[in-house]
Amino acid sequence: MDHDKPHATQHAHDHWLVRPTTIRNIWIGSLILLALLVAAEWMVPIKARFSVDDWPAFGAVYGFLSCVAMVLFAKALGWLLKRPDDYYAQPRDKELDDDA
Amino acid sequence: MPELFSPALILLAGALLGALLRGSLRTAVLFAAPAATLWAIWQVPDGVATTFTFLEYYQLEPVEGSPLRRLFATVFALMALGGVLYAFRQAKPYELCSALAYAAGAVGVCFAGDLITLFIYWELMALFSTVIVFCGGTPAARAAGIRYAILHLLGGVILKVGIEGIAVHTGSIDLQPMLAHNFDSWMVLIGILINVAAPPFSAWLADSYPESSPTGSVFLSAFTTKTAVLALMLLFPGEQVLIWVGIYMIMYGIIYALLENDARRILAYSVVNQVGFMVCAVGIGTELALNGAAAHAFAHIIYKALLFMSAGVVIYRTGKHLCTDLGGLFRTMPITTVCGIIGALAISSFPLTSGFTTKTLISEAAVSEGLVAVYLVLTAASAGVFLHAGIKFPWFVFFQKDSGLRPKDAPWNMALAMIVFAALCIIIGVFPQTFYEFLPYPLEAYEPYKAGKVLFYLQLLLFSGLAFFVMLPLMKRTLTISLDTDWLWRRLFARVYTYCQRLLETTRQTLMTRLKTWYAVMIRLAQRTYADASKEADVELMPRSQPIATTALWIALLLSGYVLAYYI
């Protein structure tokens, strides 16, 4: 059971999918794909449903920006709402005593 | 006979028989009951076949058929069958039987022609889904089960108040479209919205589902919320308020799922998110929107069950459920990983999956009604779904870091159930026209795969994928939970209760001390009087004198009270 050992230092022994070279290639490939998707708009016109959505790369920009906005909003809300995951498991009385 | 007996009764009988039988006979019953139900569903004719008189006034309609009802019932029966396949070797027998009874409730609601029949099956669901939450077996599951039961019974009571009001004020319990315009219809709407996990009660879903057993959450994800969506479609199509309720649910699901660390809780939040799309569609209320809601509910049950199945396998094999403990499982769990990814793509409405052919119906309905703001929110939310469920779930569970875990892949029955459901996700995505034929309204002119639209969605989704990996440092998982409205009853009400209890206890103690002092003074006075008398009689009166003195005192008090009251 030698692959039970956590994370071999030599990446060559790790799964091909997690080797740094593969990851770099995946990044390059994905970025090319994204660029092609935007470029494809000149071949396949996207029909506007209302007004601004016929701008070039509207889908790409809208998707990206709305996700950034959602992550940032979630992050901000996290400051307010995040608690240790044993929050409800703490004995209530102890906490009341602490408050007192 | 299907016009007399609801197909739900087959499932219920299966649940009962399954509880009585043992061994392979039980397994046979557990498989046969949903299969037979599936057959019976398609024997139900359109319209109401039989009525019974109830309480001399009301007409019960236990079975009413329509394409919409059959569609929902079909997916519930399919789900029961797939769930049994997934769970029959791993789950406790009583969990499986409860699941069948729970599914029976859902199928029963599908064919309920009147409000009372609907209510009975509604409560059947509440009852047996609670049992499934309890089957989680941990103290946390028991506590979550109790909270779940309280909320659903409360929802049931509110629904019942509305139904009683409608029955008394209109004289009819027929299940027909209405708008929330008076107290009765609002009560019915609120009762249903509690089950749909609408605000402010959205928290029950993410509180209870992740506490159930690895197999239990597969059943839980399917029935309660989608039955409530059907009830909304039958009772409140075109109710404007639902558009905003739906949009809130959509955004709530995304934001909370982004903050979450528990793999199944991420999925639970995305149930709220997806049901939000359906609720919004019911609010829009056009034929296209209702088709969208029905189609999306069908597709959603399948891919959400698939996602819960893959999460269930991970928990079954590793015993871990937090993203911080998981990662790198793709090495040894290829089937689970691939099926999980197919489910994740389907929920993100990726082209060629079921989500694409159903969710776009809802967006289309919004834009054709001129609801541009709603359309924009739905589109942003589609990107957000890819972010929180489409990538986040498989990424943190199967890829991410190497957690060092090398679990075996799914047992054969779990793998088979996942493969079947993954295939269904793709079949609905690739052959949408065949699927559209089963929708409640005709949908001839609609073409889901237009080149421009596919390109638009690909841009939207893949760039949200880019956003995920760019923002990855911001999404580092932490050992936290996020507070929700359930904080009110789990913490604030609990604190207020404890505080009141303590206040009462202190008051009681103070009062008791005062009373005791006062009582002692009175007794001493009385003793002195008796002591004078007993000295002459030379008899020990004390042992008896105390109760007599008390009684005398009370009588004196009562009489003076009476005299006072008489004069006032």
Side-chain angles (χ1 to χ4, degrees):
Chain A
M1 292 293 279
D2 51 355
H3 46 259
D4 264 358
K5 283 175 196 160
H7 222 357
T9 41
Q10 288 167 321
H11 290 298
H13 292 291
D14 210 341
H15 195 282
W16 64 270
L17 202 57
V18 292
R19 286 178 209 153
T21 44
T22 323
I23 291 172
R24 196 171 58 241
N25 290 340
I26 290 176
W27 265 107
I28 294 168
S30 309
L31 290 176
I32 292 171
L33 179 70
L34 292 175
L36 282 178
L37 272 180
V38 176
E41 244 181 82
W42 276 271
M43 313 272 288
V44 185
I46 294 175
K47 197 178 136 212
R49 304 313 310 266
F50 50 102
S51 60
V52 294
D53 56 345
D54 59 348
W55 291 0
F58 175 78
V61 173
Y62 191 64
F64 187 82
L65 288 184
S66 49
C67 283
V68 170
M70 278 185 263
V71 170
L72 291 180
F73 182 71
K75 192 82 188 160
L77 207 64
W79 285 107
L80 200 69
L81 297 180
K82 274 193 176 182
R83 293 288 183 283
D85 63 355
D86 61 348
Y87 177 76
Y88 287 117
Q90 289 164 4
R92 238 179 11 240
D93 292 336
K94 181 181 163 290
E95 219 179 73
L96 269 181
D97 291 342
D98 290 350
D99 288 355
Chain B
M1 294 304 272
E3 58 273 14
L4 278 176
F5 297 105
S6 172
L9 298 178
I10 302 177
L11 274 175
L12 204 56
L16 277 175
L17 263 179
L20 295 173
L21 296 172
R22 293 279 171 275
S24 51
L25 218 51
R26 168 164 56 207
T27 312
V29 166
L30 290 175
F31 276 99
T37 310
L38 207 54
W39 169 80
I41 286 165
W42 287 91
Q43 308 305 311
V44 176
D46 280 356
V48 183
T50 328
T51 57
F52 297 102
T53 307
F54 176 66
L55 294 177
E56 290 183 22
Y57 294 107
Y58 303 116
Q59 294 295 316
L60 286 192
E61 298 163 0
V63 186
E64 181 179 347
S66 76
L68 173 67
R69 291 161 178 271
R70 275 194 298 270
L71 184 75
F72 270 82
T74 303
V75 72
F76 290 147
L78 265 179
M79 182 58 232
L81 193 58
V84 167
L85 173 62
Y86 177 77
F88 82 100
R89 289 173 64 230
Q90 286 78 20
K92 298 181 194 93
Y94 56 88
E95 180 178 290
L96 289 167
C97 296
S98 307
L100 285 196
Y102 179 28
V107 173
V109 170
C110 290
F111 290 115
D114 65 272
L115 291 166
I116 291 179
T117 309
L118 176 129
F119 179 76
I120 291 168
Y121 285 117
W122 197 266
E123 292 301 296
L124 190 70
M125 282 199 306
L127 202 64
F128 285 99
S129 53
T130 307
V131 176
I132 295 180
V133 179
F134 281 140
C135 285
T138 57
R142 278 190 285 278
I146 288 169
R147 286 191 295 274
Y148 177 90
I150 289 175
L151 204 67
H152 283 266
L153 294 179
L154 177 76
V157 169
I158 294 174
L159 178 66
K160 192 77 174 85
V161 167
I163 293 174
E164 299 285 347
I166 287 171
V168 170
H169 294 137
T170 69
S172 161
I173 51 165
D174 202 23
L175 214 148
Q176 55 199 354
M178 56 176 113
L179 289 175
H181 58 83
N182 58 15
F183 178 77
D184 305 331
S185 45
W186 267 109
M187 287 293 111
V188 172
L189 181 61
I190 292 172
I192 298 172
L193 283 179
I194 288 181
N195 266 26
V196 103
F201 297 106
S202 313
W204 67 259
L205 204 152
D207 177 30
S208 54
Y209 288 7
E211 300 297 347
S212 61
S213 72
T215 48
S217 54
V218 173
F219 291 107
L220 287 170
S221 73
F223 302 120
T224 303
T225 46
K226 263 62 73 184
T227 315
V229 168
L230 174 66
L232 286 178
M233 290 180 75
L234 293 171
L235 289 167
F236 295 99
E239 173 57 59
Q240 296 278 308
V241 72
L242 293 179
I243 296 180
W244 309 111
V245 171
I247 282 183
Y248 178 92
M249 289 168 67
I250 290 171
M251 285 303 162
Y252 162 91
I254 295 175
I255 301 297
Y256 272 79
L258 283 175
L259 290 171
E260 190 50 53
N261 185 30
D262 183 313
R264 276 195 297 176
R265 199 159 278 142
I266 294 175
L267 297 180
Y269 283 124
S270 80
V271 172
V272 181
N273 160 277
Q274 293 294 301
V275 172
F277 278 92
M278 297 164 214
V279 172
C280 186
V282 180
I284 296 170
T286 58
E287 288 193 352
L288 185 61
L290 293 178
N291 267 344
H296 199 48
F298 192 102
H300 167 83
I301 288 175
I302 291 169
Y303 60 66
K304 182 53 76 177
L306 177 58
L307 284 166
F308 269 108
M309 283 176 181
S310 67
V313 171
V314 169
I315 294 169
Y316 176 70
R317 284 300 196 204
T318 65
K320 296 181 192 302
H321 55 96
L322 298 179
C323 290
T324 36
D325 299 334
L326 294 168
L329 301 182
F330 76 96
R331 291 175 178 81
T332 54
M333 306 183 95
I335 297 175
T336 312
T337 308
V338 170
C339 289
I341 289 175
I342 292 174
L345 290 177
I347 196 175
S348 320
S349 62
F350 222 79
L352 299 183
T353 64
S354 55
F356 183 79
T357 51
T358 59
K359 202 197 280 171
T360 48
L361 285 172
I362 299 174
S363 305
E364 194 68 29
V367 84
S368 56
E369 283 301 288
L371 300 164
V372 173
V374 175
Y375 170 75
L376 278 176
V377 173
L378 293 182
T379 311
S382 296
V385 174
F386 191 46
L387 192 71
H388 84 266
I391 307 183
K392 181 178 169 174
F393 168 74
W395 172 258
F396 280 109
V397 173
F398 298 112
F399 300 99
Q400 202 206 160
K401 62 184 196 300
D402 184 4
S403 59
L405 297 167
R406 295 289 184 272
K408 275 198 277 185
D409 208 337
W412 70 265
N413 61 311
M414 288 181 154
L416 185 62
M418 286 194 292
I419 291 168
V420 169
F421 273 44
L424 279 174
C425 286
I426 292 171
I427 289 170
I428 297 174
V430 177
F431 304 106
Q433 299 300 349
T434 321
F435 174 63
Y436 288 164
E437 278 170 27
F438 295 100
L439 296 183
Y441 302 102
L443 198 68
E444 283 117 16
Y446 185 76
E447 172 51 59
Y449 288 111
K450 285 182 203 141
K453 196 164 98 181
V454 172
L455 182 62
F456 174 75
Y457 274 95
L458 280 178
Q459 280 189 4
L460 188 82
L461 295 177
L462 291 179
F463 273 85
S464 60
L466 176 70
F468 178 87
F469 287 104
V470 170
M471 311 278 281
L472 204 52
L474 279 182
M475 292 202 272
K476 200 169 172 294
R477 297 296 83 226
T478 47
L479 277 171
T480 51
I481 57 158
S482 309
L483 294 187
D484 202 333
T485 43
D486 62 347
W487 179 85
L488 286 175
W489 49 92
R490 289 176 75 177
R491 188 43 65 93
L492 185 72
F493 292 175
R495 275 194 182 183
V496 169
Y497 175 76
T498 320
Y499 179 76
C500 289
Q501 216 179 13
R502 286 189 179 186
L503 196 72
L504 277 177
E505 182 58 28
T506 329
T507 321
R508 194 186 68 88
Q509 276 174 3
T510 325
L511 273 177
M512 282 312 284
T513 329
R514 294 257 167 86
L515 267 177
K516 270 182 193 155
T517 331
W518 186 63
Y519 185 75
V521 170
M522 289 314 227
I523 291 294
R524 215 170 295 138
L525 275 175
Q527 276 173 353
R528 202 172 297 161
T529 323
Y530 277 112
D532 293 344
S534 58
K535 233 180 253 167
E536 284 167 25
D538 200 21
V539 184
E540 184 54 66
L541 278 168
M542 267 323 286
R544 278 184 297 140
S545 65
Q546 204 162 333
I548 293 169
T550 320
T551 317
L553 190 67
W554 275 112
I555 291 172
L557 277 174
L558 280 174
L559 282 177
S560 12
Y562 175 73
V563 171
L564 268 175
Y566 184 78
Y567 280 105
I568 294 165

